[in-house]
Amino acid sequence: MHRQPAPPSHVAVEPGAHDIVAVPLRHPGRWVLASLILLALLGVATSLWRNPNIDHPTIARYLFSDRIVAGAVLTVALTILTMVLSTILGIVLALMRLSANPVLNSVAWLYIWIFRGTPLLVQIVFWGYLGLLYKQLSLGVPFTDFTVFTVDTNALIPAFVAGVIALTTNQAAYTAEIVRAGMLSVDQGQKEACYSLGMTPLFTLFKVELPQAMRVIIPPMGNETISMLKDTALLSLIAVAELYTVAARISSQNLHQVELLIVVSIWYLALTSILSVPQYYLERHYGRGSRTLGPTPIGRAVALAHRVRRSQKGIRS
């Protein structure tokens, strides 16, 4: 290989004449694979849509019916309520697991072991049929006949309350481990530095440790929230009128099971897509110092609109 001699110093050289032009590496295999996947997805979607066994007017009729919308609202309410309660309980359990007190540590470990080690379905049935074990619940002095009040179990814990308790207690076990992992990701020197400055443990927890741990906590908690939204369908076992239960009742009357399942799937996909938006921005917010953040989808759309507008102005001029 012969190298071209450098031009004499008195000869004017055009800027960039000897610069290396980097050509991006092409990946035709990726485009071929992507095209095949798109064709396969299009084929499946077309097959389902043109299936003569699917009654499309039924789907359109029940997609926004009052009963389905009410079930979807209850599903969202259950998700929000259980996630708030389970997050509070999970933080308490995580702090107990991190405690140097062996009693607190052991109790938290036992709780997590039981509720994480048994199926959620079993726990829902247990709380839903608690009245079979205890006809009445009373408050009083243990080992004596003195009672402050006595109430019927089914009246105190109806189906909705039983569902909230089951989902909350189960999710708290997973939340506790997520929060504990986030707390362990914070350097121990942070806590020691705060204590040396005279900060209280509670102030250190909420102002120093948890904000740094959120970078690790937010992604799995977002996934747990989406999973909770879908796990509410299990409450159909105890007749809580959430989205899937309502659809199952309608399909048992009109015998359009597949169509109602499609309606339910559309609602779940829409709700999970909505929940993914705050998760995305929370991850960006708490991950600012750990990685380089690219533009958001809205930012990319705005930039694309600006480029299209500039190109149109250039064509007109």
Side-chain angles (χ1 to χ4, degrees):
M1 181 181 292
H2 299 284
R3 296 183 60 186
Q4 293 183 355
S9 57
H10 64 276
V11 178
V13 180
E14 227 178 284
H18 297 283
D19 292 347
I20 298 176
V21 179
V23 179
L25 182 63
R26 301 184 183 279
H27 301 279
R30 295 181 182 178
W31 291 103
V32 172
L33 180 61
S35 301
L36 292 175
I37 293 175
L38 286 176
L39 286 175
L41 292 175
L42 183 61
V44 172
T46 303
S47 174
L48 289 174
W49 183 257
R50 293 182 177 179
N51 194 315
N53 297 317
I54 296 179
D55 187 14
H56 295 93
T58 301
I59 298 175
R61 175 186 175 187
Y62 287 104
L63 186 59
F64 295 105
S65 69
D66 294 339
R67 296 172 65 184
I68 292 293
V69 172
V73 171
L74 184 59
T75 296
V76 174
L78 278 168
T79 303
I80 295 173
L81 181 60
T82 53
M83 286 306 299
V84 170
L85 295 176
S86 63
T87 300
I88 296 172
L89 181 57
I91 292 174
V92 173
L93 290 169
L95 296 177
M96 292 171 64
R97 286 280 284 127
L98 295 171
S99 174
N101 189 314
V103 176
L104 295 178
N105 191 301
S106 300
V107 169
W109 179 88
L110 182 64
Y111 178 97
I112 294 171
W113 177 67
I114 292 174
F115 285 93
R116 199 174 58 171
T118 54
L120 175 58
L121 199 64
V122 174
Q123 297 174 32
I124 291 173
V125 173
F126 173 82
W127 288 106
Y129 295 96
L130 186 63
L132 297 177
L133 291 176
Y134 303 100
K135 299 294 184 182
Q136 293 179 332
L137 297 176
S138 59
L139 178 65
V141 179
F143 310 110
T144 66
D145 295 332
F146 177 77
T147 57
V148 178
F149 69 87
T150 301
V151 63
D152 183 74
T153 302
N154 293 325
L156 181 64
I157 307 178
F160 179 84
V161 177
V164 171
I165 293 174
L167 294 176
T168 298
T169 52
N170 178 267
Q171 180 58 42
Y174 294 92
T175 302
E177 291 299 282
I178 293 173
V179 174
R180 186 172 72 92
M183 299 288 290
L184 291 175
S185 68
V186 181
D187 190 86
Q188 185 67 19
Q190 299 274 351
K191 183 187 295 186
E192 295 174 356
C194 292
Y195 289 169
S196 66
L197 293 174
M199 298 182 185
T200 62
L202 194 62
F203 185 88
T204 302
L205 172 66
F206 287 102
K207 295 297 184 180
V208 178
E209 291 183 289
L210 275 180
Q212 296 183 69
M214 292 297 284
R215 178 177 57 85
V216 178
I217 294 173
I218 287 296
M221 283 301 295
N223 294 331
E224 291 294 326
T225 304
I226 292 174
S227 297
M228 178 62 69
L229 177 73
K230 295 176 291 184
D231 287 342
T232 56
L234 296 174
L235 299 183
S236 60
L237 286 172
I238 56 176
V240 177
E242 44 75 46
L243 179 59
Y244 178 78
T245 304
V246 173
R249 291 174 180 175
I250 295 174
S251 64
S252 66
Q253 297 171 359
N254 59 19
L255 302 181
H256 287 285
Q257 285 84 0
V258 175
E259 288 79 4
L260 267 299
L261 287 177
I262 293 175
V263 169
V264 168
S265 300
I266 292 173
W267 271 98
Y268 279 124
L269 284 172
L271 292 175
T272 53
S273 300
I274 293 172
L275 288 176
S276 299
V277 174
Q279 178 190 1
Y280 172 79
Y281 284 99
L282 282 173
E283 289 181 12
R284 285 179 59 89
H285 176 75
Y286 287 104
R288 287 175 298 178
S290 60
R291 65 183 186 274
T292 303
L293 300 176
T296 64
I298 297 177
R300 286 195 290 266
V302 171
L304 179 61
H306 286 324
R307 286 198 298 269
V308 171
R309 189 177 302 172
R310 284 197 298 267
S311 63
Q312 289 176 349
K313 289 181 178 179
I315 293 174
R316 292 173 182 173
S317 60

